[in-house]
Amino acid sequence: MIVGAVGLIYGFIAAPETVEDVKEMMASEHHGEEHGEEINVEQLPGENVTVENIEGYESETAHGDEAHAEAGHGEEAGHGDEHYEHILHQLQNKPWAALYVAAFFFFMISLGVLAFYAIQYAAQAGWSPVLFRVMEAITAYLVPGGIIVFVLLVLSGLHLNHLFVWMDPEVVAHDEIIQNKTAYLNVPFFLIRAAIYLGGWMLFRQLLRKNSIKMDSATDNKIFKKNFKLSAGFLVFFIVTESMMSWDWIMSLDPHWFSTLFGWFVFASLFVSGITTIAIISIYLKSRGYLEFVNDSHIHDLAKFMFGISIFWTYLWFSQFMLIWYSNIPEEVVYFIQRIEDYQLPFFGMLITNFLFPVLLLMNSDYKRVNWFVIMTGIVILCGHYLNVYVMVMPATVGESWFIGIPEISAVLLFGGLFTFIVFNALTKAPLLVKGNPFIKESKHYHY
Amino acid sequence: MASKVLHAIYRDDDLLLQAVKQIREARYHIGEIYCPFPVHGLDKAMGLAPTRLAITSFLYGLVGLSVAVAMMNFIMIEDWPQDIGGKPSFSFIENMPAFVPIMFELTVFFAAHLMVITFYMRSKLWPFKKAENPDVRTTDDLFLMEVDAANHNIDDLTDFLYKTGASEIKLIE
């Protein structure tokens, strides 16, 4: 955590502050190369303008590729300084985006676990109650993590960074497409929405946890029934707010782009990372002798979920990619053109870590019971889903100036440390085996 | 080989499972067990080797994937690389997303069907096959165990089977 914090501060200091700094940096680095690529990317949508010539299209395509362009790129003459300014914004965004990606990644893990937990309640699963305390502990990160994400959003709203282009009034003034979306994309409403999602999730989390602790000393099933209803209510609330959250916090980074299955795509990502985290922490606690009743069959079930939801994620990833690739409509496809040209390795590498690895490693029923196998695959999946968030956020914020360097790694370390601290601290707050759950006996003897 | 077998009939699956354990402990050889429905844990109690059908299915899936790739690579890329609606038919990888649905379906198709056929062949099931049921009641509510009596004293074995809870015992020559 400390290493991460130090690294992040370095990242903020290292971010260039003026256009001159960028010029210096670029001169010392591979200037020609990046410059060349830049032009390439810009010209792609530019060609469409001449062909289609639609009113209002101009602004879109000028900004479409690099959501960050403050001024139009159309004229070649004024290109020089604008280009550097553009890069400057990207580099200034870099530590912010690194922070945002990591904060969101760990937050989404605990959110995914909460969704999984609620599903276990609502489905009256007989295998999982022995893992409830682990899940509850992971969701303990929801509150601080959510507050951190909210603070980051507020900071964006206060124009301390340029993560969200549509928050910049100058950009909006020149951009008819964003202007048409301001009824939804405006800072006060955005923050109110975020507060509603976060408040709702935290409220449900606290109630579920409180009831679960109360259930330990309960004599009847009243509290269980209450939790059952709460979970069902949460799931309804969750699926609506999660979907809107993904539009707000991630899709609006590219305000010119939209995709209808995006909410599900983000959901699959957070769900599988959440389940993977449950598995990893359970195996760790089990190996330390803290989880007496967790056996191979529980791990097997978690591994099955990791396997299945990984495939579900891939299905959604591919459905989103293929539909857009196939129809190749310019205003949609720039999203992927930018990712494929600038982010080739993470964009396709993600498929290997999030699909190929889990499919091949967790297909065998015996392997799902081998703890180190599940751990290794789990780490690969978590890395893959970090990359997934990275590829969703970075192209819109730092564009082609991306690199997984000190700010990115330190942000992960910082939030990883915070996450571990809070989760394991929460684990000490309650006995690791729930009592009074009507399914606990079945769960203890669960065998697959 | 004039082999003799005893057919012991049980009325309950719990009884059957217990009997299987006792008989295996006493080192008698169980030939077959006929049940009206799957008895959970019976294969483990009998010590049967686990099935390898899933492995065959995986391999069939790979075959299906190869067939799909080879077929579409030949048809769409090599044989007649036409421009159809601007799709890039220059190489397989460039046009791959369009092929994925077919690759997926053929993988599933091969994996599923060939595995089912493997299952039929391995368990010798086909239309017009003569049923091998020793007692019609085993398809309804009785469990029948076939115990090899080859080198054992028939009376001892019968006694033993009665003690394990068999409700009927028949000697079949």
Side-chain angles (χ1 to χ4, degrees), chain B:
Chain B
M1 196 175 98
S3 68
K4 289 178 184 173
V5 289
L6 283 175
H7 280 180
I9 287 184
Y10 294 84
R11 294 191 171 278
D12 188 82
D13 47 343
D14 287 335
L15 214 56
L16 176 78
L17 270 179
Q18 231 172 24
V20 168
K21 274 174 207 150
Q22 287 170 346
I23 291 166
R24 282 196 14 118
E25 255 167 50
R27 304 221 166 267
Y28 290 116
H29 180 253
I30 299 172
E32 288 281 353
I33 296 182
Y34 298 86
C35 301
F37 54 78
V39 177
H40 192 77
L42 186 60
D43 51 339
K44 280 223 179 82
M46 288 172 71
L48 297 180
T51 173
R52 286 168 297 182
L53 262 185
I55 299 168
T56 65
S57 175
F58 178 71
L59 296 176
Y60 296 145
L62 292 184
V63 173
L65 187 62
S66 323
V67 168
V69 170
M71 177 180 81
M72 283 180 300
N73 185 43
F74 177 71
I75 297 174
M76 302 299 292
I77 309 294
E78 282 173 14
D79 193 34
W80 196 354
Q82 244 192 142
D83 183 344
I84 305 167
K87 288 273 156 294
S89 303
F90 308 109
S91 70
F92 185 77
I93 200 76
E94 270 181 289
N95 209 359
M96 195 187 74
F99 301 148
V100 166
I102 298 161
M103 281 152 62
F104 170 76
E105 293 293 346
L106 274 185
T107 309
V108 174
F109 179 87
F110 272 64
H113 289 85
L114 290 181
M115 176 177 74
V116 167
I117 293 168
T118 311
F119 168 72
Y120 286 151
M121 281 163 57
R122 291 291 292 152
S123 41
K124 303 194 174 63
L125 284 174
W126 48 82
F128 311 113
K129 177 188 162 75
K130 204 167 170 304
E132 293 167 351
N133 197 357
D135 190 321
V136 286
R137 291 171 302 169
T138 59
T139 60
D140 182 18
D141 63 344
L142 293 183
F143 303 83
L144 188 149
M145 189 196 300
E146 202 177 83
V147 185
D148 234 337
N151 307 316
H152 305 293
N153 183 326
I154 305 267
D155 289 338
D156 287 355
L157 183 53
T158 314
D159 261 7
F160 182 80
L161 288 178
Y162 264 121
K163 274 183 200 144
T164 61
S167 56
E168 280 173 42
I169 294 177
K170 258 187 272 176
L171 178 65
I172 310 282
E173 306 215 15

Side-chain angles (χ1 to χ4, degrees), chain A residues 121-288:
Chain A
Y121 258 115
Q124 306 192 358
W127 64 277
S128 49
V130 291
L131 297 169
F132 275 2
R133 280 289 141 81
V134 178
M135 298 183 205
E136 284 167 15
I138 299 173
T139 59
Y141 181 75
L142 195 74
V143 178
I147 291 171
I148 290 169
V149 171
F150 188 71
V151 167
L152 283 177
L153 296 178
V154 170
L155 292 181
S156 299
L158 294 176
H159 306 298
L160 286 176
N161 58 46
H162 297 274
L163 287 184
F164 297 89
V165 209
W166 55 265
M167 285 179 178
D168 195 333
E170 255 179 67
V171 174
V172 178
H174 296 286
D175 194 324
E176 205 176 328
I177 292 189
I178 300 184
Q179 277 167 23
N180 290 333
K181 292 181 180 178
T182 44
Y184 188 78
L185 288 182
N186 59 73
V187 176
F189 187 34
F190 175 81
L191 290 178
I192 292 170
R193 280 195 311 260
I196 291 173
Y197 315 147
L198 287 166
W201 297 333
M202 288 176 195
L203 181 73
F204 273 109
R205 189 266 158 190
Q206 297 299 34
L207 287 176
L208 284 168
R209 166 78 168 182
K210 207 179 77 199
N211 284 339
S212 164
I213 302 240
K214 245 196 256 165
M215 218 188 295
D216 276 2
S217 50
T219 47
D220 55 8
N221 282 342
K222 226 190 232 157
I223 302 174
F224 177 79
K225 283 183 187 161
K226 213 194 254 173
N227 252 4
F228 174 78
K229 283 176 196 155
L230 264 179
S231 306
F234 168 74
L235 288 172
V236 174
F237 176 75
F238 171 76
I239 203 60
V240 176
T241 47
E242 189 275 336
S243 169
M244 293 177 72
M245 173 273 276
S246 71
W247 308 335
D248 281 4
W249 297 358
I250 299 186
M251 204 155 82
S252 83
L253 293 163
D254 295 280
H256 287 183
W257 182 79
F258 54 88
S259 160
T260 40
L261 63 67
F262 199 73
W264 281 105
F265 176 64
V266 174
F267 167 73
S269 191
L270 64 90
F271 202 49
V272 71
S273 343
I275 295 166
T276 308
T277 313
I278 299 174
I280 290 178
I281 292 184
S282 306
I283 291 173
Y284 174 74
L285 290 173
K286 172 83 185 156
S287 74
R288 288 305 193 83

Side-chain angles (χ1 to χ4, degrees), chain A residues 392-409:
Chain A
M392 285 196 287
V393 170
M394 285 299 179
T397 51
V398 305
E400 66 271 39
S401 312
W402 70 278
F403 184 69
I404 299 192
I406 291 175
E408 284 78 8
I409 293 171

Side-chain angles (χ1 to χ4, degrees), chain A residues 318 321-322 325-328 360 363 447, chain B residues 44 58 87-88 94-95 97-98 100-101:
Chain A
F318 183 72
F321 173 69
M322 195 262 239
W325 172 87
Y326 207 104
S327 59
N328 204 16
L360 293 179
M363 190 183 291
H447 177 77
Chain B
K44 280 223 179 82
F58 178 71
K87 288 273 156 294
E94 270 181 289
N95 209 359
V100 166

Side-chain angles (χ1 to χ4, degrees), chain A residues 63-76:
Chain A
H63 294 277
D65 218 18
E66 296 104 29
H68 253 274
E70 309 264 302
H73 281 280
E75 304 135 64
E76 280 293 316

